[in-house]
């Protein structure tokens, strides 16, 4: 199996998500956390303007402003309002608090920022994943947490999280003396509802990723779209190619992925792609 150590990491993240949804369902959220989230929402335009306003350092989150996954081209898909945005910020805060309070043997969580130079443009792209996971052999993968409504589809949130996690993994690939070839993108989802009788739920989605040059191309194209105030659309064919590298993509209207780690990622594939098949390919 190309990616290692998923068992302990999954247990750790599952414990975090259970802690988060437990606090949400029991109302164990401080007033200060809610007020802070409201302030962040009210000042979001100033914050984004400061972060994404130019200079030679561009956060991954700014590049994501120019990225659309295919489903976002349809109207009325997973749109959120002010209340939902505030709740999402609160859920992120709860996730980060829980991550620091839970210990699981064999997995070391950490926070960190990594940057990579886009030489053609003379700028640095920098990213700070929600969480980094290590074991005794080095980096296991990156964690991206998203909040989504309990009702309706949430695959769009997962797809965006995957694209963002892939960018982080590429930056870490460049960080090590020995390039990172395989790593996990752990997508954690907190699903919630504002209805009193509907409980929050959570899910951990591990995806074994081949950290390939297609992700580098994605980052460059996202930067071009960001600078040109345009949009970069990622369809399912390209998303598969970003996750699995050469030999994957689409064939006869279906997403095709390699046998290994295609089988390992079966649950994630079912969520990300409407139709997909496994093909034999050289890796």
């Amino acid at each position: 199996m190309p990616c290692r150590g998923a068992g302990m990491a999954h247990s750790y993240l599952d414990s975090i998500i259970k802690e988060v949804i437990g606090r949400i369902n029991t109302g164990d959220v401080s007033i200060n956390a809610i007020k802070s989230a409201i302030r962040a929402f009210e000042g979001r335009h100033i914050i984004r303007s400061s972060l994404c306003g130019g200079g030679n350092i561009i956060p991954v989150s700014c590049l994501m402003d120019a990225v659309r996954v295919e489903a976002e081209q349809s109207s009325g898909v997973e749109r959120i309002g002010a209340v939902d945005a505030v709740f999402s910020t609160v859920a992120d805060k709860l996730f980060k608090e829980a991550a620091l309070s839970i210990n699981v043997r064999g997995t070391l969580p950490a926070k960190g920022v990594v940057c990579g130079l886009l030489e053609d443009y003379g700028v640095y792209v920098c990213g700070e994943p929600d969480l980094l996971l290590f074991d005794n052999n080095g980096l296991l993968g990156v964690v991206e947490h998203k909040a989504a409504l309990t009702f309706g589809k949430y695959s769009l949130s997962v797809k965006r999280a995957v694209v963002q996690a892939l960018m982080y993994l590429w930056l870490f690939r460049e960080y090590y003396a020995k390039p990172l070839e395989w790593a996990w993108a752990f997508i954690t989802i907190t699903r919630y509802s504002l209805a009193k009788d509907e409980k929050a739920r959570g899910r951990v989605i591990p995806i074994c990723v081949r950290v390939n040059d297609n992700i580098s191309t994605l980052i460059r194209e996202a930067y071009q779209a960001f600078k040109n105030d345009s949009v970069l659309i990622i369809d399912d064919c390209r998303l598969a190619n970003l996750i699995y590298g050469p030999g994957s993509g689409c064939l006869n209207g279906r997403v095709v992925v390699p046998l290994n780690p295609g089988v390992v990622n079966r649950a994630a594939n079912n969520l990300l792609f409407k139709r997909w098949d496994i093909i034999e390919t050289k890796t």
Side-chain angles (χ1 to χ4, degrees):
M1 177 176 168
C3 298
R4 69 180 195 282
M8 288 293 187
H10 194 288
S11 297
Y12 168 66
L13 294 173
D14 191 54
S15 298
I16 295 175
I17 288 295
K18 286 180 179 177
E19 172 78 10
V20 171
I21 62 176
R23 291 185 62 181
I24 292 172
N25 288 335
T26 58
D28 183 16
V29 181
S30 71
I31 295 298
N32 286 337
I34 296 172
K35 287 181 177 180
S36 177
I38 293 172
R39 287 194 298 270
F41 176 76
E42 291 175 339
R44 67 194 184 284
H45 297 303
I46 296 174
I47 295 170
R48 297 305 291 174
S49 177
S50 176
L51 285 173
C52 309
N56 64 343
I57 298 178
I58 306 296
V60 165
S61 59
C62 297
L63 297 187
M64 287 301 299
D65 287 347
V67 173
R68 301 288 183 273
V69 295
E70 192 171 34
E72 287 179 283
Q73 304 311 302
S74 301
S75 60
V77 179
E78 293 185 51
R79 307 298 182 190
I80 64 172
V83 175
D84 300 300
V86 169
F87 194 95
S88 179
T89 301
V90 171
D92 281 339
K93 179 176 176 59
L94 294 179
F95 179 86
K96 290 168 184 175
E97 288 178 356
L100 297 175
S101 66
I102 296 174
N103 294 315
V104 174
R105 187 177 63 181
T107 301
L108 176 64
K111 292 286 292 180
V113 177
V114 64
C115 298
L117 175 65
L118 295 184
E119 295 182 357
D120 296 346
Y121 305 102
V123 299
Y124 288 89
V125 173
C126 297
E128 183 180 8
D130 288 330
L131 205 60
L132 299 167
L133 296 183
F134 294 85
D135 66 5
N136 292 333
N137 296 311
L139 181 69
L140 284 174
V142 302
V143 181
E144 189 65 16
H145 174 255
K146 297 294 182 186
L149 291 170
T150 302
F151 296 104
K153 295 174 61 179
Y154 63 101
S155 59
L156 169 59
S157 297
V158 175
K159 289 182 180 183
R160 289 192 61 82
V162 170
V163 173
Q164 194 162 344
L166 291 172
M167 292 187 184
Y168 293 142
L169 285 174
W170 177 261
L171 295 178
F172 276 99
R173 179 185 190 273
E174 296 293 279
Y175 180 79
Y176 291 101
K178 182 180 180 181
L180 187 69
E181 185 178 2
W182 294 94
W184 290 101
F186 293 100
I187 311 303
T188 57
I189 297 290
T190 299
R191 302 187 68 190
Y192 66 93
S193 170
L194 300 179
K196 292 183 179 180
D197 58 346
E198 183 68 27
K199 298 294 186 181
R201 307 179 220 165
R203 183 175 179 183
V204 179
I205 305 160
I207 305 173
C208 181
V209 173
R210 184 174 190 178
V211 189
N212 62 90
D213 289 339
N214 296 332
I215 304 172
S216 175
T217 301
L218 164 71
I219 293 174
R220 293 173 184 278
E221 291 181 5
Y223 176 74
Q224 290 174 339
F226 165 75
K227 291 298 291 182
N228 296 332
D229 197 24
S230 58
V231 170
L232 174 64
I233 299 173
I234 306 297
D235 63 14
D236 285 356
C237 302
R238 184 166 188 186
L239 183 59
N241 195 245
L242 290 167
I243 295 171
Y244 294 104
S248 59
C250 281
L251 181 66
N252 297 327
R254 298 176 73 95
V255 168
V256 290
V257 301
L259 176 63
N260 196 3
V263 173
V264 175
N265 290 344
R266 183 178 296 278
N269 289 337
N270 288 339
L271 180 60
L272 293 172
F273 311 122
K274 290 182 179 179
R275 298 187 301 168
W276 65 279
D277 287 316
I278 289 175
I279 60 169
E280 296 289 343
T281 183
K282 296 180 180 179
T283 57

